[in-house]
Amino acid sequence: MPSEFEIIRRYFARPARSASLGIGDDAALLRPCAGAELAVSTDMLVEGRHFRAGADARKLGHKALAVNLSDLAAMGATPRWATLALSLPDADEAWISAFADGLFALAERFATELIGGDTVRGPRSVCICILGEVPEGRALRRDGARAGDDIWVSGELGGAALALARPGTDEADRRLDQPEPRVALGQQLLGHASAAIDVSDGFAQDLSHILERSGCGALVHYDRLPKCGVFARIAQPELERACVLAGGDDYELVFTAPQNERAALEALSVELSLPLSRVGAIRAGASALSIIDAGGREVPVPPGFDHFPS
Ligand code: ADP
Ligand code: MG
């Protein structure tokens, strides 16, 4: 069995070119670019809660980093560094190696360097802290939406929740296990979007966070929401609504933008080969979210995910 230090050296210590000092000392040393603000976010995944016991280690490595990259995407930040706090029940090298492969494959795609962490024995959990940069004063925040702005959604919704409810369709399973963080979209939304959030707890709940912070309401057209393709085949409208409106883990971006940005956003969609759907509008007044169907009838808004429901 390798020691804690062997594990770090074999699987996690890689040269961090963009840091003044990476793994191996008491702390890493980072040199942010001039004129940039640091964007910092942490997400923890716990076995039994966020992933099943026996979950594929490579996919878990991917997902643990992907959910953190998604938070930076939602700020319009460019990812640069990450730390990894890992709690493991044993020193199973096949598991650790596969986990590291999944994590580093994604890290390389997004030029993110692992610059530190902690390795302990305990119930399996993974906590990544990610750091990125965004030009000073320009980050996409939750509080910038204004009445009259359009509401947009990237990609499609509901696939990850469908995979939890009905495992076995590759398309939906992939959405759950291997989410694609919308980093390039977030970066390119700087200067176009007025507010943004990533869909981790469900579209309705996550959009509501923008509404609360921005002090406005919204009208959304259910039929315009982009939905995972599997729903069209299974024709179960209630399951579809629950997954599309309240399903978490999609890691798409929901953002608002003034109407005069429509042409720019349509061009961006083509440039990134990523569907961007205009699904509704921000309204003045109370931070209420109203979702209507094609006939103008109100669609009930199901509650999103909450770790501590009352
Ligand atoms: P300390 O005792 O100072 O906390 P550790 O012995 O825990 O240091 O870690 C040694 C070095 O390895 C540190 O630079 C730490 O950031 C890094 N490190 C530990 N675990 C991990 C990990 N899972 N991934 C990346 N770096 C790690
Ligand atoms: Mg330590």
Side-chain angles (χ1 to χ4, degrees):
M1 281 283 177
S3 71
E4 170 191 340
F5 302 102
E6 276 300 304
I7 293 173
I8 298 167
R9 194 183 60 73
R10 270 187 219 162
Y11 299 105
F12 298 111
R14 303 209 178 167
R17 286 179 193 84
S18 70
S20 316
L21 187 61
I23 290 172
D25 213 308
D26 295 308
L29 297 174
L30 309 174
R31 200 180 303 119
C33 296
E37 279 179 315
L38 275 181
V40 183
S41 181
T42 298
D43 255 309
M44 179 150 80
L45 299 181
V46 175
E47 184 174 271
R49 170 54 74 178
H50 302 96
F51 58 93
R52 293 176 289 270
D56 183 274
R58 190 173 208 286
K59 289 176 180 165
L60 185 63
H62 172 103
K63 183 158 180 173
L65 184 61
V67 301
N68 280 278
L69 288 167
S70 176
D71 280 321
L72 289 193
M75 300 299 288
T78 300
R80 296 206 56 193
W81 304 290
T83 63
L84 167 67
L86 202 51
S87 174
L88 300 171
D90 52 49
D92 176 349
E93 284 195 90
W95 193 95
I96 297 169
S97 168
F99 173 86
D101 283 349
L103 185 139
F104 280 111
L106 192 64
E108 273 156 31
R109 280 181 52 209
F110 291 99
T112 301
E113 295 195 310
L114 190 65
I115 47 96
D118 203 15
T119 307
V120 302
R121 188 193 290 263
R124 201 180 303 278
S125 74
V126 184
C127 183
I128 289 179
C129 176
I130 195 154
L131 298 102
E133 293 182 311
V134 61
E136 204 173 326
R138 295 191 52 210
L140 303 174
R141 301 159 48 132
R142 295 180 181 182
D143 60 5
R146 296 294 172 259
D149 284 358
D150 293 319
I151 301 168
W152 296 79
V153 182
S154 68
E156 44 187 51
L157 298 172
L162 178 63
L164 273 181
R166 302 275 159 84
T169 38
D170 286 351
E171 185 183 346
D173 290 352
R174 211 166 33 245
R175 293 301 311 230
L176 180 65
D177 292 338
Q178 288 179 285
E180 176 68 14
R182 303 303 191 190
V183 173
L185 173 62
Q187 290 169 324
Q188 301 241 41
L189 287 177
L190 293 182
H192 297 289
S194 49
I197 192 168
D198 65 326
V199 180
S200 54
D201 296 333
F203 167 80
Q205 178 167 312
D206 289 321
L207 175 57
S208 293
H209 292 312
I210 289 184
L211 303 181
E212 278 156 31
R213 296 294 289 273
S214 301
C216 43
L219 178 66
V220 166
H221 300 273
Y222 182 77
D223 53 311
R224 291 199 212 156
L225 287 171
K227 302 168 187 81
C228 172
V230 179
F231 291 114
R233 300 201 289 276
I234 62 175
Q236 297 200 27
E238 276 190 24
L239 177 67
E240 178 193 291
R241 274 199 300 278
C243 292
V244 168
L245 296 178
D249 267 4
D250 282 317
Y251 301 101
E252 295 294 351
L253 296 187
V254 173
F255 58 96
T256 61
Q259 293 175 22
N260 61 14
E261 295 289 347
R262 285 179 189 175
L265 291 167
E266 278 153 18
L268 180 59
S269 168
V270 173
E271 187 191 324
L272 297 176
S273 303
L274 175 65
L276 297 178
S277 306
R278 188 158 50 79
V279 302
I282 297 292
R283 304 197 283 195
S287 56
L289 168 59
S290 181
I291 302 178
I292 57 172
D293 66 16
R297 287 173 298 264
E298 197 82 26
V299 178
V301 179
F305 186 76
D306 182 352
H307 274 282
F308 299 99
S310 43

